[in-house]
Amino acid sequence: MTDLIDGAIGWPAEAEQRYRRAGHWGDDTLGDLLARWAARYGDAVAVVAGPTRLTYAGLDRAAGDRARSLRALGIGVGDRVVVHLPNVAEFAVTLFGLLRAGAVPVLTLPAHRQAEIEHLAALSGAVGYVGPDVVDGFDHRELALAVAGAVPSLRHLLVDGEPVPGTTALAGLPAGTAEPLPEPDPGQVAVLLVSGGTTGKPKLIPRTHRDYAYNARASAEVCGLTADDVYLACLPLAHNFPLACPGLLGTLGVGGTVVLAPAPSPDVTLDLVDAEGVTVTAMVPPLLRLWTDLAGGGRGRWGLSTLRLVQVGGAKCDETLARRVRPELDATVQQVFGMAEGLLNFTRLDDPDDVVAVSQGRPLSPADEIRVVDDRTGDDVPDGAVGELWTRGPYTLRGYYRAREHDATSFTPDGYYRTGDLVRLLPTGHLVVEGRIKDVINRGGENVAATELEEHLLAHPDIAGAAVLAIPDDDLGEAVCAAIVPARGAVAPKRRAIREFLTARGLARFMSPDKVVVRDELPLTAVGKIDKRALGEQLAGAPVTRCARLACPAASRPTPRSGPAARSPGPG
Ligand code: OOB
């Protein structure tokens, strides 16, 4: 194993040679690549954000200037800097400026707050923070000052906007000198991404120049991106999906234009599609549902005539929704099952609609190695059976950043990353995601896969959102709780109706929710996935229900209904 900076573990020499020979890994840093793209696409528009339009040459120049200013401050090779910017042009300038200076951006999500930023700044030993001034009434400068109070390494608090005492405006940085910028090693860490897990504290994922450049280039290829494409970043750019799958980096690599949506809300993003002639975008399933509801089939004020490809990923897209995209939005849907840790699976543009509707894609690279295993024994499961997905490859990490203890359980001795995702492999080589290992409810000995039940619930015409989670139960240990959001204009079905619906779909009785709660909306994570931890906390505060008290897990008698649950909002 090669040791990368400060404890990130690299690939063994044998794998490195293999990836280089196959042409996956090159010798460019991400900073070099921007210069290359600028030479090729000079005056073409690279980034659009509100009234700002940056050409490739303009972005290249701005990134170089920023790199020199950062170096003048003393920020140099290997220094970590927390980037906490929304989707603004400054994100691209800061990202490439840091890369050019040889520094390592720590890409945090705009929705992160002091607890997360403090943790990530301390974990990375960051020397700097770059954030906006005030967004939607939230003062990032105060956050930065508070974090700096707790994390002594944090010396430079840089503001995109108006500074306050103790912080410095990006616009006011010294120009720096014309001395040549450093040339970082392409095998070193380029960026630190934040892990997407919704349990425990976020971890940092080291992505090297080589592996991330390949990630973006190969993703662009699989999407058939060209210089004519206009990519809309709906999701926060700090997330791997809109950043490099293909996202910002993949689109810039082919000379296309990246339009930054200031907010993911459908009215903003749909308007941008028409205004900027967007051809490709990426979103999480809840947003895709809003798009199709609002704009599908010619509804609403949007033409969407340029849109050709809608990527959906981050969480499972149910079949019903996936099938609506082509007829209603007149675009190809591409399922993307990815992770900040590396492995990306895409349905291909020429996959039959039936495969695209039910699978979450197949690995991006011919060099991706995947195994579907029994997580207790580590043996491969029989063909087509459900097991945990293990993977290694040219853009999948071999270890988290400064987390050796965690690595011991997250990786096998031969370098496979244990994803924690439960999948099944179709004969075509496509994967179907069946849930997360930790997302299986043990209902008195019967296993209820939350994802599977959610998909069945979403097939109900009156249900627009569903999240299934375990609630403690004296008799069963865990009982099944479904939080549902009624479809627009519909009345939420009652628990009995849901049970009949599920039974008609052939589901075992024990799969029927013991409790149903109705919500106007479900809490979302920083990137827009359903946040089950927050939901669990909300439900824990809700009145206790007795409706789940079954004597036996597979009992067929009706569940007794009494107690406070009868008064809680909308139980079935
Ligand atoms: C993406 O990355 P993360 O790091 O925020 O989350 C990764 C996890 C996966 O391990 C899996 O549990 C879940 O999110 N996930 C999906 C999924 N895509 C991700 N579960 C079911 N179906 C899918 N299509 O979420 C991410 C990174 C790059 C591209 C796309 C998504």
Side-chain angles (χ1 to χ4, degrees):
M1 299 269 177
T2 329
D3 250 357
L4 298 182
I5 57 167
D6 288 335
I9 301 168
W11 288 261
E14 169 279 320
E16 175 170 346
Q17 280 157 19
R18 198 154 28 93
Y19 300 149
R20 290 173 73 87
R21 263 202 311 274
H24 304 323
W25 283 6
D27 284 327
D28 288 321
T29 63
L30 297 178
D32 296 338
L33 285 173
L34 176 63
R36 179 93 59 82
W37 303 333
R40 207 175 295 161
Y41 310 116
D43 291 338
V45 176
V47 175
V48 176
T52 308
R53 300 181 102 79
L54 272 179
T55 63
Y56 279 80
L59 176 58
D60 183 48
R61 241 188 337 268
D65 291 347
R66 177 59 45 80
R68 278 180 277 276
S69 299
L70 292 165
R71 287 186 63 77
L73 284 182
I75 295 176
V77 178
D79 284 340
R80 276 80 60 202
V81 174
V82 172
V83 176
H84 193 202
L85 289 167
N87 286 4
V88 290
E90 191 52 59
F91 183 101
V93 175
T94 297
L95 174 72
F96 283 109
L98 287 166
L99 290 165
R100 284 266 172 89
V104 179
V106 181
L107 298 176
T108 63
L109 295 168
H112 284 147
R113 287 295 174 257
Q114 191 176 335
E116 290 97 3
I117 300 295
E118 200 171 300
H119 164 66
L120 296 168
L123 175 61
S124 61
V127 301
Y129 168 97
V130 187
D133 46 17
V134 180
V135 178
D136 295 333
F138 182 82
D139 196 327
H140 285 69
R141 301 161 304 191
E142 280 173 17
L143 177 147
L145 288 164
V147 172
V151 181
S153 63
L154 208 59
R155 291 189 298 274
H156 307 286
L157 309 182
L158 307 178
V159 182
D160 176 24
E162 280 299 311
V164 292
T167 67
T168 310
L170 284 173
L173 290 180
T177 62
E179 72 184 84
L181 290 166
E183 292 180 11
D185 175 348
Q188 284 287 308
V189 178
V191 296
L192 287 165
L193 300 180
V194 176
S195 69
T198 50
T199 50
K201 286 197 170 169
K203 292 179 287 295
L204 284 171
I205 295 158
R207 302 296 303 256
T208 64
H209 292 275
R210 287 199 171 106
D211 98 69
Y212 217 40
Y214 175 53
N215 185 115
R217 191 179 74 237
S219 298
E221 246 168 59
V222 123
C223 295
L225 281 198
T226 70
D228 294 332
D229 275 304
V230 178
Y231 175 91
L232 176 66
C234 298
L235 302 174
L237 278 174
H239 189 266
N240 189 26
F241 195 8
L243 183 60
C245 309
L248 174 77
L249 297 179
T251 305
L252 295 183
V254 298
T257 298
V258 179
V259 176
L260 308 184
S265 61
D267 42 346
V268 173
T269 48
L270 285 162
D271 280 353
L272 279 171
V273 174
D274 282 350
E276 300 292 344
V278 168
T279 60
V280 185
T281 188
M283 57 187 79
V284 287
L287 184 55
L288 178 58
R289 188 178 305 279
L290 289 174
W291 269 42
T292 17
D293 283 351
L294 283 175
R299 281 184 291 275
R301 58 174 187 269
W302 303 279
L304 309 186
S305 60
T306 49
L307 193 65
R308 72 170 177 88
L309 180 65
V310 177
Q311 299 183 290
V312 60
K316 181 135 177 202
C317 176
D318 62 283
E319 181 180 346
T320 320
L321 177 59
R323 287 198 189 274
R324 286 177 62 190
V325 174
R326 192 188 293 283
E328 295 196 36
L329 295 177
D330 194 19
T332 301
V333 65
Q334 178 182 59
Q335 295 222 32
V336 186
F337 162 40
M339 50 204 78
E341 284 81 357
L343 180 72
L344 301 171
N345 301 276
F346 294 82
T347 56
R348 303 306 201 257
L349 303 189
D350 57 357
D351 278 341
D353 283 356
D354 283 337
V355 171
V356 175
V358 302
S359 102
Q360 281 64 56
R362 60 184 171 81
L364 172 65
S365 169
D368 283 322
E369 298 171 79
I370 59 168
R371 291 183 59 198
V372 183
V373 304
D374 179 330
D375 63 290
R376 287 155 310 181
T377 61
D379 295 331
D380 291 323
V381 298
D383 287 352
V386 176
E388 188 189 5
L389 175 66
W390 289 5
T391 185
R392 60 183 185 188
Y395 59 99
T396 295
L397 85 175
R398 293 289 181 126
Y400 286 97
Y401 188 77
R402 295 182 175 171
R404 285 284 156 82
E405 237 169 71
H406 189 82
D407 288 346
T409 51
S410 295
F411 297 86
T412 64
D414 56 351
Y416 278 89
Y417 166 56
R418 304 176 200 250
T419 65
D421 290 317
L422 291 171
V423 301
R424 132 178 103 75
L425 198 53
L426 300 178
T428 53
H430 291 74
L431 293 168
V432 179
V433 179
E434 297 287 357
R436 303 245 337 134
I437 287 188
K438 293 198 178 105
D439 217 6
V440 174
I441 301 166
N442 185 337
R443 186 181 183 282
E446 303 276 11
N447 281 342
V448 177
T451 310
E452 184 188 354
L453 182 50
E454 284 157 9
E455 281 172 63
H456 283 288
L457 291 168
L458 287 168
H460 193 294
D462 295 337
I463 298 181
V468 168
L469 67 176
I471 44 170
D473 183 84
D474 290 346
D475 298 328
L476 297 166
E478 289 180 347
V480 178
C481 176
I484 59 170
V485 178
R488 278 155 69 91
V491 176
K494 301 279 186 214
R495 197 168 68 93
R496 179 185 297 268
I498 289 177
R499 191 176 54 215
E500 280 160 14
F501 175 75
L502 295 173
T503 308
R505 289 178 71 83
L507 246 67
R509 191 121 198 158
F510 67 83
M511 293 280 289
S512 244
D514 298 298
K515 178 180 179 181
V516 174
V517 295
V518 180
R519 289 282 190 269
D520 290 336
E521 56 185 23
L522 297 170
L524 300 177
T525 66
V527 78
K529 306 183 193 191
I530 292 173
D531 188 343
K532 288 205 181 170
R533 189 163 49 163
L535 183 63
E537 282 162 10
Q538 285 179 10
L539 294 178
V544 178
T545 173
R546 296 180 55 79
C547 74
R549 288 186 188 282
L550 295 183
C552 142
S556 56
R557 64 194 162 81
T559 314
R561 302 286 344 269
S562 63
R567 293 191 304 274
S568 70

